[in-house]
Amino acid sequence: MLVNLKDIIAMAESGNYCIPAFNVYNMETVMGVLKAAEETKAPIIMQVYPRLMKEETGYFLSPVILAAAAKASVPVCFHLDHGPSTLETTRCLRYGATGIMLDGSTLPLEENIALTKSVVDTCKYVNVQVEGELGHIGTTKDSEFDEFTSPESAKYFVEQTGVTCLAVAVGTAHGKYTKPPKLDIERIKEIRKATNNTALVLHGGSGVPDEEIKKAVAAGVRKMNFATDICYAFLDCCLEELQNPERSVAIDNFMKKPIDAVKDFCISRIKLVGADGKAE
Ligand SMILES: [Zn+2]
């Protein structure tokens, strides 16, 4: 069933685990993620890059996500990832999203607050909640990380904006890591404490060592994003299949293995963050 961001985060909060948020790109990745959630009886978030909302893809992909959520026996939230402006956030709401991220992390603090709050206020009218970002989470290609999120500014940001969850910079990055990242677990605990236990979000979950992920969840991370490794699971399998002389050229049959590759990856992450069996 389709649920909003507030309700799915509340499940994680009361059960002391984390909701995995998987980026989806096409119908096949939606099918793989849904299969994983159903098999493990896990509540999950399906999220889309903002560029999909700017381009035509969002128009076609959104109904696929909504169809998957309607069919699901587990809670599914349809979320926008890294919305940079009200163009993407409004369009994604129009297409049926039940969670919105507004990423103003590259703006000065007060501008980030003003933009995030305006999106929180709009989303309220349709019972949708917002994820904000404070402390910019860069990419693995950056030569150095920006400053990590400070607990004091996180407290101020959450109070001023009314976000439901907050993405924080604590050592992760987007993309493929060249060496395993080390997370600032103490900082996660401090931010939780300072923000009256606001649900924290970890971006760049692909490639973070399992032990670090477990510690982050125990410290209060309630949503963890996986995007890069979904792409690799899907595309590596496609490339392998192309070498297979027995492969089917009928696209629907060809896609069966890549769909299962996405499913297998998602199942491993669902179990790692403790979401398996939580939708029973
Ligand atoms: Zn991200």
Side-chain angles (χ1 to χ4, degrees):
M1 77 247 23
L2 183 68
V3 299
N4 66 23
L5 185 65
K6 173 172 65 73
D7 290 344
I8 206 159
I9 292 292
M11 289 181 73
E13 203 63 76
S14 68
N16 221 14
Y17 62 96
C18 175
I19 307 285
F22 299 115
N23 280 73
V24 291
Y25 303 83
N26 56 9
M27 184 180 78
E28 286 76 15
T29 44
V30 169
M31 290 168 75
V33 170
L34 182 67
K35 278 183 172 206
E38 294 270 17
E39 273 187 32
T40 53
K41 301 199 173 4
I44 52 121
I45 294 169
M46 288 195 200
Q47 58 187 25
V48 292
Y49 287 153
R51 69 164 180 266
L52 302 186
M53 289 297 141
K54 217 167 172 185
E55 296 163 3
E56 208 179 17
T57 311
Y59 172 83
F60 294 104
L61 184 58
S62 300
V64 174
I65 296 169
L66 291 172
K71 179 177 180 288
S73 61
V74 297
V76 175
C77 171
F78 169 18
H79 189 67
L80 173 68
D81 194 18
H82 289 288
S85 78
T86 50
L87 185 159
E88 292 84 356
T89 60
T90 308
R91 199 170 276 170
C92 203
L93 274 183
R94 174 79 174 88
Y95 290 162
T98 51
I100 293 287
M101 178 182 187
L102 187 285
D103 176 2
S105 64
T106 55
L107 299 171
L109 178 63
E110 292 300 334
E111 285 177 40
N112 185 0
I113 287 173
L115 180 58
T116 306
K117 186 175 185 324
S118 76
V119 172
V120 169
D121 290 345
T122 304
C123 287
K124 238 181 232 165
Y125 296 137
V126 286
N127 195 22
V128 168
Q129 299 78 35
V130 174
E131 170 185 348
E133 177 168 326
L134 182 68
H136 181 60
I137 303 158
T139 81
T140 52
K141 293 195 180 91
D142 296 345
S143 52
E144 57 186 51
F145 286 138
D146 280 24
E147 241 174 79
F148 286 180
T149 309
S150 89
E152 299 74 36
S153 54
K155 175 184 191 308
Y156 180 63
F157 184 87
V158 168
E159 284 171 357
Q160 296 295 312
T161 58
V163 291
T164 295
C165 48
L166 181 67
V168 288
V170 291
T172 56
H174 298 104
K176 209 168 178 63
Y177 297 100
T178 46
K179 61 177 197 281
K182 181 108 184 71
L183 306 187
D184 191 341
I185 302 293
E186 279 313 306
R187 187 177 293 268
I188 295 173
K189 290 181 192 162
E190 285 165 18
I191 298 171
R192 279 280 280 183
K193 217 166 138 194
T195 59
N196 196 18
N197 290 334
T198 295
L200 302 183
V201 184
L202 212 58
H203 284 239
S206 297
V208 178
D210 290 2
E211 282 314 306
E212 293 282 297
I213 287 183
K214 281 185 190 164
K215 280 189 231 163
V217 174
V221 166
R222 295 291 171 245
K223 172 176 180 279
M224 196 168 310
N225 294 0
F226 300 98
T228 305
D229 279 346
I230 295 208
C231 298
Y232 280 104
F234 184 82
L235 292 176
D236 285 351
C237 185
C238 287
L239 290 172
E240 201 179 307
E241 265 305 279
L242 285 170
Q243 309 299 322
N244 176 4
E246 312 278 290
R247 72 172 187 269
S248 173
V249 292
I251 295 171
D252 59 320
N253 283 327
F254 180 91
M255 284 296 167
K256 283 181 177 153
K257 280 189 187 170
I259 290 170
D260 277 341
V262 169
K263 182 191 83 170
D264 292 344
F265 167 72
C266 293
I267 287 177
S268 76
R269 299 302 93 178
I270 285 169
K271 289 183 175 167
L272 180 62
V273 300
D276 54 310
K278 298 299 195 296
E280 275 178 310

Coordinates of all heavy atoms in Angstrom, one line a residue, residues 81-82 174 203 225, ligand 1:
D81 N 14.0 12.4 -4.6 CA 15.3 12.5 -4.1 C 16.0 13.8 -4.5 O 15.9 14.1 -5.7 CB 16.1 11.3 -4.6 CG 17.4 11.0 -3.9 OD1 17.6 11.5 -2.8 OD2 18.3 10.3 -4.5
H82 N 16.5 14.5 -3.6 CA 17.3 15.8 -3.9 C 16.6 16.8 -4.7 O 17.2 17.3 -5.7 CB 18.6 15.4 -4.6 CG 19.6 14.8 -3.7 ND1 20.3 15.5 -2.7 CD2 20.0 13.5 -3.6 CE1 21.1 14.6 -2.0 NE2 20.9 13.4 -2.5
H174 N 28.1 10.5 -2.5 CA 27.4 9.8 -3.6 C 28.4 9.2 -4.6 O 29.4 9.8 -4.9 CB 26.5 10.8 -4.3 CG 25.5 11.4 -3.4 ND1 25.6 12.7 -2.9 CD2 24.3 10.9 -3.0 CE1 24.5 13.0 -2.2 NE2 23.7 11.9 -2.2
H203 N 22.8 9.4 3.1 CA 22.8 9.3 1.7 C 24.1 8.6 1.3 O 25.1 8.5 2.1 CB 22.8 10.7 1.0 CG 21.5 11.3 1.0 ND1 20.8 11.6 -0.2 CD2 20.6 11.6 2.0 CE1 19.6 12.1 0.1 NE2 19.5 12.1 1.4
N225 N 19.8 5.6 1.9 CA 19.6 5.6 0.4 C 20.6 4.7 -0.3 O 21.8 4.8 0.0 CB 19.8 7.1 -0.1 CG 18.7 8.0 0.4 OD1 17.8 7.6 1.1 ND2 18.8 9.3 -0.1
Ligands
ZN1 ZN 21.7 11.7 -2.0

